[in-house]
């Protein structure tokens, strides 16, 4: 499939995924966030010295704050992404328990500009949709693709989503990096060599 056809198909899938995600009630969202957090800590292996990248929920994304708070409370090193520009990779800054978060654009919060940077061993990724091959449908800005291409190691990629966000098939371009795992309120699914 040519790049222009892939992008056209993805644009239609994004509209469909937005509608599915927006249809969820606030109670369904809160219940799903708790269930996903429980499944993350039960089923995802990581070391105490691993750096874990999270995100601060925007719009109607699955809220990973229950995961982040528990990680920080346990002493795990957590980084949050900051958008630096339309064509730049994300800046991954360490969030420490006693440090405030600041408005970082797009309705998200992030650590201070002075916070140290760190490369993650595991990345919790928001998404609009996913399929049974581990293909992630993002917003189309390419931020995570650029960021992952610049990281010196291959982190485990864990998509966090509502079960309603699963799509039958998402076309994958050359730059699209598949997920290793997707966690929804319905369970944990491993893809590829992590399976």
């Amino acid at each position: 499939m040519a790049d222009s056809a892939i992008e056209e198909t993805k644009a239609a899938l994004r509209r469909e995924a937005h509608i599915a995600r927006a249809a969820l009630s606030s109670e369904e969202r809160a219940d799903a966030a708790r269930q996903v957090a429980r499944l993350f800590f039960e089923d995802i292996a990581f070391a105490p010295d691993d750096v874990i990248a999270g995100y601060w929920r925007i719009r109607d994304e699955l809220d990973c704050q229950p995961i982040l708070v528990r990680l920080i409370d346990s002493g795990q090193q957590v980084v949050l992404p900051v958008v630096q520009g339309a064509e730049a990779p994300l800046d991954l800054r360490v969030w420490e328990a006693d440090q405030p978060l600041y408005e970082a654009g797009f309705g998200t919060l992030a650590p201070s500009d002075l916070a140290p940077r760190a490369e993650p061993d595991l990345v919790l990724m928001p998404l609009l949709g996913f399929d049974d091959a581990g293909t992630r449908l993002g917003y189309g800005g390419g931020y995570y693709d650029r960021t992952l291409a610049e990281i010196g190691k291959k982190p485990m990629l864990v998509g966090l989503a509502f079960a309603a966000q699963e799509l039958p098939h998402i076309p994958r371009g050359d730059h699209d990096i598949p997920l290793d795992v997707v966690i929804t309120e319905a369970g944990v699914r491993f893809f590829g060599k992590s399976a």
Side-chain angles (χ1 to χ4, degrees):
M1 188 180 280
D3 281 349
S4 61
I6 288 175
E7 288 311 312
E8 204 172 290
T9 301
K10 284 184 176 181
L13 290 172
R14 283 186 185 99
R15 288 188 293 275
E16 180 182 332
H18 270 296
I19 291 167
R21 198 169 70 182
L24 298 169
S25 71
S26 58
E27 293 81 16
E28 288 171 315
R29 292 172 197 290
D31 288 346
R34 284 189 294 274
Q35 180 70 351
V36 166
R38 183 184 66 75
L39 291 168
F40 173 79
F41 288 105
E42 286 178 2
D43 295 344
I44 304 301
F46 57 90
D49 60 343
D50 281 351
V51 176
I52 299 180
Y55 61 90
W56 202 262
R57 178 185 62 84
I58 58 172
R59 298 187 206 79
D60 50 8
E61 291 174 341
L62 187 122
D63 190 358
C64 76
Q65 195 172 351
I67 296 172
L68 299 179
V69 169
R70 185 167 163 190
L71 288 170
I72 286 179
D73 286 350
S74 71
Q76 196 80 35
Q77 188 171 40
V78 171
V79 294
L80 292 176
V82 180
V83 175
Q84 300 187 101
E87 298 301 318
L90 297 166
D91 185 21
L92 299 173
R93 299 182 193 159
V94 176
W95 178 28
E96 296 172 336
D98 58 345
Q99 297 300 310
L101 296 174
Y102 300 93
E103 291 288 334
F106 299 96
T108 189
L109 299 175
S112 155
D113 289 344
L114 303 176
R117 276 72 175 160
E119 285 193 345
D121 298 289
L122 186 151
V123 180
L124 300 172
M125 300 179 79
L127 50 86
L128 274 172
F130 67 95
D131 67 14
D132 64 0
T135 306
R136 173 186 175 268
L137 181 67
Y139 294 104
Y143 293 106
Y144 278 97
D145 293 324
R146 283 190 298 279
T147 304
L148 294 171
E150 287 204 356
I151 292 176
K153 56 188 166 188
K154 165 57 174 101
M156 176 186 268
L157 305 181
V158 180
L160 302 181
F162 302 104
Q165 292 176 261
E166 184 168 5
L167 298 165
H169 173 74
I170 301 168
R172 192 183 293 175
D174 293 338
H175 64 279
D176 293 322
I177 301 169
L179 297 166
D180 297 305
V181 184
V182 167
I183 307 175
T184 72
E185 72 276 18
V188 179
R189 292 170 59 191
F190 291 87
F191 305 103
K193 63 180 179 229
S194 296

